[in-house]
Structure formats: C-alpha cells, structure tokens
Amino acid sequence: MNMSNCDVNLVLMSNNAGVPGVAVTVRSALDHCTGKCNIFILSSNISTIMKDKLRNSWNTPNRGHIQFIDIDPKILKPFRALLHLHHKETYLRLFLGELLPAEINRCILMGLDLVVTDDLCQINQKDLKGHIIAAALDISVSKQEAQAYRRKYHHLKNPEHYFNGDLLVVDLVAWRQNDIGHKLITYAAENVETCFAADQDPLNVILEDKWLELEQRWNLSQYAREIKLDHKGIIHLIGPSKPWHADYNWKFKQHFFDVLDETAWKGWRPARVFGLAVIWRKIYHKLPTFEILKRKLHKEFKKLLTSLFG
C-alpha cells in the first residue's frame, strides 16, 4: 500500500465540554499519520476561545486545513436523550453527508474518546470492496441479551455482527448516492423508544450488509484483556467517564494526559475539589436529563388521563 500521497479527512462531533477529548484524538492521529490530515469538527456550541485552542493544539507539519462546522441545535431536537448520553452531538454523524463539503469523497469519522497509536493512512486507503463504510466490531457483540434485543427490536439478521460507530471509514460518494443520511435520521426519529445505543443502532440497521469489518486493533476497548500500553491501532476509552472527568481512573489515564500535554491544554487536569467532583460524577451518572424526566412525566400523565376518562 502506497501511503506517500495519503490525504485523510478526520471528522469529529463535540460540544464545549468534550474539547479535551477532541484535542487528544486529533493530536494522537497527527502524531502517527504519514499523510496530510484535514480536520472537520461538527458542533453546536464550541466557543471561539476553545476553537482557537484546538487550532493551536494541532500545529504540525502534516496538518491540512481545519474547519469548524457550526450547526443549529434545533436539528437535534427529534432525537432521544439517554441516561448515559446527556449530550446529543453524537447524533450529528447521521447528518454526515449533508454537513460536510460536497467535494469530500471519503472521511474517517471518529469519536472524541480515542487515542490513536498507529498510522490512519492504513485504513484511509483501504479498499472498501463496494461497501459504504468500514468499521470494527462493538465490544457488546458477545453479550447474548444485547443480541436478543437487537434481533427483536431492530430485526438484525446477524446481531452478533454489530459494529461500533466511533471509528468509521466512510465512502461519502456511496453514502450520498444511497441517501444514507435521510434513512438514518428517519429510523432514529421513528424508533426513539428502542434505540438504546443512540445513533449506533440506526447505523447498524441501515448499513447492515453494507459494511466491511476492520481489524479489531483499530477500535479496541480499554476494557479488552489483550490491550497493552504499546498497542498499535486505536485505544477506545469507552465508558461513561472519560479522562477529562474527575472520576476516571483507568490504566490509560496517564497516556491520555501525556498526549494532552502536547496541546494547548498542557498541564490541565480535571479539578477534584477535595473529592467532591468525584462524588458529583457518581450522582451525575444516575441523574436523568430534563428531557428524560419530561418524557416520563408526559407518559404518566397520559396514563392518568386514560384511567380517568377512558
């Protein structure tokens, strides 16, 4: 594979709270990429100050242009907030074809909790063999209850062949030609009660039989038994707590901050406030969002009206 002319388009979604993760994901990609990386950030509320810090964080010879694509948060209104998903920017990947410039034909879509430890040109130039995306299996594929749920509610033919949506190599030409964005948005909006994996369930339903499996090393969970600090590929810091949260304490914490210290966040660490921040994070994990509370109250109110008036 000739990687001398590799031109990678990296696409991430975030809000203001997630910018340390964005800084590390992109910086680690730049540190290992042998080609030029163009960066596109989809967001509803990243401040001007944070945008400037991100630009300064990625000042390397192999960096191409950076584009922040600000969206109207109203487009996220139809989507479901989840107990483990307090921020809905993750749904922006469903709008990928519409939000990116029309001249972009291929991209690597990334979550903001990845640490890249190998050259992304290896997957950027991969032959997709007629598939629309390439992705790696999700960690939950081995869970029988998850497979049963996907078969029952999403009618997946092979629920054990279920990919993780935080690392996708996307053929944007095929994506747009097959109207994938519209199909994803429609499915997510019409199945809000059963899409407990947020955007990932719609992606697996609409792109079933249309995705190529990547080696697992390109999206290996921090919980995987075989993962080591010298892993070659991508370490996925999966889970509700991230290194920029006070309660994160997994083995890749120092590795994350080593990369963060190469950015405009050098020396920054999440405030613990005598342990109070950790306690708050434990409460936060269990707190429903206002949207979830509103939905539950609406449901109970309808039940009450039905019991009173039939």
Side-chain angles (χ1 to χ4, degrees):
M1 183 184 296
N2 182 11
M3 294 186 283
S4 59
N5 297 315
C6 176
D7 199 344
V8 184
N9 297 307
L10 302 180
V11 183
L12 295 92
M13 298 75 55
S14 183
N15 55 23
N16 230 32
V19 287
V22 174
V24 166
T25 295
V26 174
R27 179 71 207 206
S28 62
L30 290 169
D31 285 346
H32 292 87
C33 192
T34 56
K36 184 176 75 172
C37 294
N38 302 310
I39 303 156
F40 300 87
I41 308 296
L42 313 180
S43 176
S44 60
N45 73 344
I46 294 181
S47 69
T48 301
I49 293 174
M50 290 299 189
K51 288 177 182 177
D52 288 340
K53 289 185 72 172
L54 287 171
R55 289 189 185 96
N56 292 334
S57 298
W58 303 329
N59 188 19
T60 67
N62 60 338
R63 193 207 75 194
H65 69 268
I66 299 173
Q67 184 173 347
F68 290 92
I69 301 175
D70 299 318
I71 60 95
D72 185 343
K74 289 180 182 177
I75 71 172
L76 299 175
K77 191 175 180 180
F79 301 106
R80 178 190 178 117
L82 305 174
L83 185 59
H84 65 279
L85 180 68
H86 283 63
H87 305 291
K88 296 198 286 185
E89 276 79 9
T90 186
Y91 289 107
L92 289 176
R93 71 192 68 198
L94 307 183
F95 298 85
L96 190 65
E98 292 79 9
L99 294 176
L100 288 179
E103 64 270 19
I104 303 298
N105 294 327
R106 178 180 280 220
C107 71
I108 298 181
L109 185 66
M110 307 182 77
L112 49 75
D113 55 352
L114 307 178
V115 179
V116 182
T117 58
D118 207 350
D119 188 356
L120 290 180
C121 285
Q122 296 174 67
I123 56 174
N124 184 66
Q125 295 187 321
K126 192 172 185 65
D127 180 4
L128 299 188
K129 301 178 181 178
H131 297 89
I132 296 176
I133 67 165
L137 289 173
D138 187 84
I139 188 175
S140 65
V141 294
S142 61
K143 298 178 181 178
Q144 295 297 317
E145 62 272 22
Q147 292 181 22
Y149 184 90
R150 291 167 188 150
R151 182 177 283 110
K152 179 179 179 179
Y153 291 103
H154 297 299
H155 311 292
L156 291 175
K157 291 174 285 186
N158 298 302
E160 68 281 358
H161 196 237
Y162 181 93
F163 63 83
N164 183 276
D166 272 351
L167 190 283
L168 306 178
V169 181
V170 184
D171 179 347
L172 284 166
V173 175
W175 180 287
R176 291 167 178 140
Q177 287 177 346
N178 288 273
D179 202 19
I180 298 300
H182 176 72
K183 293 173 182 176
L184 288 169
I185 293 163
T186 301
Y187 189 88
E190 292 179 352
N191 295 273
V192 291
E193 297 301 325
T194 56
C195 287
F196 288 111
D199 59 307
Q200 197 165 276
D201 283 335
L203 281 163
N204 273 272
V205 170
I206 302 303
L207 293 168
E208 187 174 26
D209 301 326
K210 298 180 180 68
W211 68 281
L212 179 71
E213 186 175 338
L214 292 174
E215 293 175 83
Q216 198 64 52
R217 72 185 182 97
W218 290 109
N219 191 345
L220 193 59
S221 165
Q222 64 178 348
Y223 304 141
R225 289 181 181 177
E226 67 271 28
I227 199 165
K228 298 178 181 178
L229 288 170
D230 60 353
H231 173 73
K232 288 294 184 182
I234 291 177
I235 301 168
H236 191 171
L237 306 179
I238 191 171
S241 289
K242 307 300 180 187
W244 55 94
H245 296 144
D247 60 334
Y248 181 85
N249 200 30
W250 286 88
K251 64 181 177 181
F252 294 107
K253 179 178 181 178
Q254 186 56 50
H255 188 70
F256 175 91
F257 286 118
D258 286 345
V259 180
L260 189 69
D261 284 343
E262 298 178 38
T263 75
W265 280 266
K266 181 178 181 179
W268 178 88
R269 300 295 184 267
R272 296 179 65 87
V273 198
F274 305 107
L276 293 177
V278 176
I279 296 172
W280 162 244
R281 285 292 304 172
K282 289 179 180 179
I283 296 171
Y284 180 81
H285 289 323
K286 298 178 181 180
L287 280 177
T289 64
F290 174 73
E291 183 179 336
I292 293 173
L293 286 174
K294 185 173 70 172
R295 192 165 61 240
K296 286 185 175 180
L297 286 172
H298 179 70
K299 194 173 182 179
E300 292 303 316
F301 185 65
K302 283 181 69 176
K303 281 184 182 178
L304 178 62
L305 289 179
T306 302
S307 65
L308 290 175
F309 303 107

